[in-house]
Amino acid sequence: MAAAQALWPAGAAGSYRLAPHKDELFAYRKVLKNEYGGDFLLVDYDRPRDLHDRDEVKLEKVKPDYVDLATQAAETDLALTVGGRKVVYTAVGRFNGGAKAIVIFLHGRGTDRLSGASDWIHGGNFNRIKNLMMRNDGLYISADFSDFGRRGTAEMKALLLHQAGLSPGAPIFLACGSWGGKICWRLIYDSDTAPLIKGVLLLDSVVDDGFVARAARMDPAARPAIGISASMEDWVVGYRGQAAFFEKMKREVPDYPIRFVLFDEGTHGISLRMTDWRQVLNWMLAAKGY
């Protein structure tokens, strides 16, 4: 745990950073390997410790120590009408404006916004991101959308632009779960939303190999930081394509802000449980000059 924190320093004093919240429970326990100056970490995942001992009801309810329900006072369900359709989203923190940073979670196939809004599943990790954003004058959103194609993309674009208008200047980070990455990549390519997106977290998510050539041509100031989390036992998306994307980025655009955390065990979805939100978001904030 200490080794991982030392590799990814929090940033200069006085910068906007997310203050600690339950770090002793959520920080990476053991880094098995680090490469590319710490930009690649192979992290230990231990099922007895990280799943069986952590959950009160396996995969359904984490033990209370991992949860802080103070977020309920700052949590609400909201709706935005897009193209005649009602887009419902759960918001925690400064949803009326004035957020210092915004994190938007896009769920994967077979789920909905509750995957990123439940306090109790995924080992309590989404309760942690709620707390991190609420306690640091930020905003966390988990949204429903119609599909993973053009309609869903249009809905998420409208939501992103709406919140950006309420909190002008706030860095926006997309957290893309599995197939939700399809929408994230379209938003990265969209000329209206791209300037607002300062970082993308790919959580067991799809990658876009075509982005490598684009990244090489981009103004460094316009490059969104990319954080990839994956597991070696993910047979749904699979980590090999993500690893190849990371290595190609490092080879062809060596100064691009990209990091890859790979868990040595754990099936598809483990990144939702195991990703250290505070560590990756603070690195992105520092990488983008906040």
Side-chain angles (χ1 to χ4, degrees):
M1 179 171 63
Q5 291 171 339
L7 284 168
W8 293 5
S15 303
Y16 174 71
R17 300 292 183 268
L18 304 179
H21 179 74
K22 295 184 180 287
D23 285 25
E24 69 283 1
L25 296 177
F26 289 95
Y28 301 135
R29 291 290 182 265
K30 185 178 181 182
V31 175
L32 303 175
K33 182 189 295 185
N34 76 78
E35 298 175 347
Y36 297 99
D39 285 348
F40 170 81
L41 301 180
L42 179 65
V43 174
D44 175 52
Y45 172 73
D46 183 278
R47 281 188 178 85
R49 179 193 67 211
D50 298 320
L51 179 61
H52 303 297
D53 291 346
R54 185 165 168 175
D55 284 3
E56 192 171 90
V57 180
K58 183 181 175 182
L59 300 175
E60 295 182 10
K61 186 177 181 181
V62 72
K63 290 179 178 177
D65 288 351
Y66 289 82
V67 171
D68 186 333
L69 296 179
T71 54
Q72 291 181 345
E75 178 171 336
T76 189
D77 284 340
L78 300 169
L80 184 70
T81 300
V82 183
R85 302 179 299 275
K86 182 181 288 188
V87 178
V88 179
Y89 59 100
T90 300
V92 184
R94 294 181 174 267
F95 51 82
N96 287 323
K100 291 184 178 179
I102 300 171
V103 174
I104 302 176
F105 176 71
L106 290 86
H107 62 77
R109 285 189 296 186
T111 62
D112 55 24
R113 78 179 188 283
L114 298 181
S115 176
S118 171
D119 294 302
W120 300 99
I121 63 175
H122 301 311
N125 209 20
F126 283 90
N127 177 262
R128 188 186 187 216
I129 184 59
K130 288 180 180 181
N131 273 282
L132 285 170
M133 300 313 292
M134 178 194 73
R135 293 168 184 273
N136 292 278
D137 297 324
L139 171 63
Y140 171 74
I141 289 174
S142 182
D144 282 334
F145 41 88
S146 297
D147 59 24
F148 296 93
R150 295 183 181 278
R151 178 178 290 189
T153 302
E155 292 167 351
M156 292 302 95
K157 175 179 178 177
L159 177 58
L160 189 157
L161 293 175
H162 172 69
Q163 288 297 336
L166 291 175
S167 298
I172 296 176
F173 302 97
L174 301 180
C176 318
S178 187
W179 214 244
K182 292 284 188 179
I183 294 178
C184 291
W185 284 110
R186 294 192 191 97
L187 295 175
I188 291 170
Y189 281 106
D190 188 289
S191 60
D192 294 328
T193 53
L196 304 170
I197 299 169
K198 304 306 178 183
V200 183
L201 291 76
L202 299 172
L203 308 171
D204 291 338
S205 191
V206 294
V207 295
D208 184 345
D209 287 334
F211 183 75
V212 180
R214 180 186 180 94
R217 299 190 303 268
M218 292 176 72
D219 180 342
R223 296 169 174 172
I226 297 176
I228 304 172
S229 293
S231 64
M232 296 183 74
E233 295 179 331
D234 179 1
W235 307 118
V236 177
V237 172
Y239 79 94
R240 297 184 190 279
Q242 298 157 331
F245 173 80
F246 171 80
E247 290 169 359
K248 189 174 183 181
M249 287 284 284
K250 281 295 185 184
R251 184 173 60 252
E252 300 189 16
V253 199
D255 62 339
Y256 195 98
I258 183 170
R259 285 180 168 171
F260 186 14
V261 172
L262 179 63
F263 301 102
D264 69 330
E265 295 184 13
T267 55
H268 187 67
I270 284 299
S271 290
L272 304 182
R273 169 181 288 260
M274 296 300 297
T275 295
D276 185 341
W277 292 102
R278 179 172 175 261
Q279 188 183 78
V280 67
L281 287 168
N282 278 349
W283 163 69
M284 288 182 170
L285 286 162
K288 299 307 298 179
Y290 289 92

